Each structure stands twice: as C-alpha cells, then as structure tokens.
Amino acid sequence: MTFEEVKKKFFKYDGSLFAMAREEKEAYENYKMLNISEETVEKWRQELFLNLWEQLKENGSSDLFHRMYNLSEDKHTRENLLILREALHKVNYANPKVNVYISETVLGRKDLSERSGMIFWAYDLGEQEMAKELLQFVWELVTVQTSDEKIKSRLERNIKKCYLISSKINCSTFPI
C-alpha cells in the first residue's frame, strides 16, 4: 500500500489503529511497515477533524460531532475546543435522544473524578467562563420533556451530573 492509501484507511477508521487492525489486518500491517511519525499522525487527525467539521456544518449530524470529539479526546487543544463549542450549535437536535448523547459528551462519560468531557477540558485549559457556558448549554439540553422512560432516566442522571460539575467548577449562577 502507498502512503496515501494508508492515510485513506486511517481516515476510514477515524484514526483508530485498533479498529483498523481488527477490520483490515493487512492495512494495519502496511501502516506499521511505513513507520509513520507521530507528527504525521497528529496532522492526519487534525485534517480529519477539520474535514468532519466541514461536513457537520452542512448536515448537523450528531454522529459527526462525536467523531470529532473522539479524535480530540486525547489531545486537548484550545483550537479544537473552540470548534467543538461552535459545532454544538450546528448539531440538529431532532429528538431527546440526541440531547442525551451530546450532553453526555459535554459532561463526560467517565466518573467525575476522571474530569472527562468538554466542560473539564475547557476548565483545565483555563477557560472557566467557557466551562460555565458549556454547563448552561447542557442544562438546556437535559431539561427537555420526553415520554421515553430510558431517555428520561438518562436525562435525570445528566441533570444530577450538571449539579455535581457545577460545584466542582464553582459555577454559582447555575442554573440560571
């Protein structure tokens, strides 16, 4: 495989070498044989992130948002955080299920002590006001009504997490 073909596979699997190895062992082996530098990998991740951002602006897909977030999860930059914050406003919130998925991404899916999610990402980068803004945004997402009991339960859990995060980041004005 050529360098460009391997890059295509890298993009296909959103930069997940595990997924590439699982689904296309030969492509993974070719990737490894090329000894691609970490710098190149980071450039590819950023290029993919920006490509997904362009697509999201066109169609509002929450799946694209999640893919963007996952690409950034291990490397928190202010630039990507700003793009993701803007992307939140481009997502099509067609139903409460989308609200749940997006709110869980912004709040963090891991235990609170892990400080995952966009709110802690912003806070840890020194963007306390953005962290509070993200918390307010999530509050609006999780205070929707639904008759689906599973979704309602997740929304309630996310509301509790909002309050817990609010106390962690000293957001005394929450909720407005």
Side-chain angles (χ1 to χ4, degrees):
M1 288 182 116
T2 67
F3 188 80
E4 283 302 315
E5 289 170 328
V6 168
K7 180 181 176 182
K8 229 180 205 180
K9 296 293 182 183
F10 183 89
F11 276 41
K12 176 180 177 181
Y13 293 104
D14 284 344
S16 170
L17 299 181
F18 175 79
M20 186 191 300
R22 185 185 61 222
E23 299 298 323
E24 294 187 55
K25 188 175 181 181
E26 184 180 335
Y28 175 76
E29 289 169 355
N30 283 308
Y31 171 89
K32 294 306 269 181
M33 284 190 323
L34 287 172
N35 290 321
I36 297 166
S37 71
E38 193 57 39
E39 182 180 294
T40 299
V41 169
E42 284 309 313
K43 285 181 184 176
W44 287 358
R45 284 183 191 283
Q46 192 62 24
E47 182 181 339
L48 178 56
F49 178 87
L50 294 172
N51 288 346
L52 294 171
W53 170 223
E54 291 303 318
Q55 292 174 47
L56 176 76
K57 287 191 278 188
E58 294 296 317
N59 68 24
S61 167
S62 61
D63 289 336
L64 291 171
F65 178 85
H66 289 292
R67 290 173 62 196
M68 290 171 63
Y69 179 82
N70 289 338
L71 280 165
S72 300
E73 195 168 24
D74 294 330
K75 186 164 172 105
H76 293 163
T77 66
R78 186 175 188 281
E79 176 188 359
N80 284 359
L81 178 62
L82 291 171
I83 291 170
L84 284 167
R85 180 183 66 173
E86 189 176 338
L88 287 171
H89 300 285
K90 302 289 185 188
V91 170
N92 180 11
Y93 297 95
N95 59 62
K97 188 181 254 186
V98 173
N99 290 33
V100 166
Y101 292 152
I102 296 294
S103 65
E104 289 170 350
T105 299
V106 177
L107 293 171
R109 289 191 164 77
K110 298 177 183 173
D111 186 74
L112 213 54
S113 64
E114 295 291 321
R115 298 179 67 84
S116 68
M118 288 176 62
I119 292 171
F120 283 119
W121 175 358
Y123 194 83
D124 293 344
L125 284 176
E127 299 286 345
Q128 286 80 9
E129 289 305 312
M130 187 189 309
K132 292 174 184 179
E133 174 190 317
L134 290 167
L135 189 58
Q136 291 292 335
F137 184 85
V138 168
W139 182 256
E140 292 173 22
L141 291 181
V142 298
T143 53
V144 297
Q145 300 297 314
T146 182
S147 58
D148 183 321
E149 289 302 318
K150 286 182 181 177
I151 297 298
K152 188 183 288 188
S153 171
R154 287 172 71 181
L155 288 168
E156 289 169 0
R157 185 173 60 237
N158 291 340
I159 287 170
K160 288 176 186 170
K161 198 166 189 178
C162 281
Y163 282 111
L164 290 171
I165 290 174
S166 174
S167 69
K168 293 263 186 212
I169 66 169
N170 301 319
C171 185
S172 58
T173 60
F174 174 78
I176 291 178

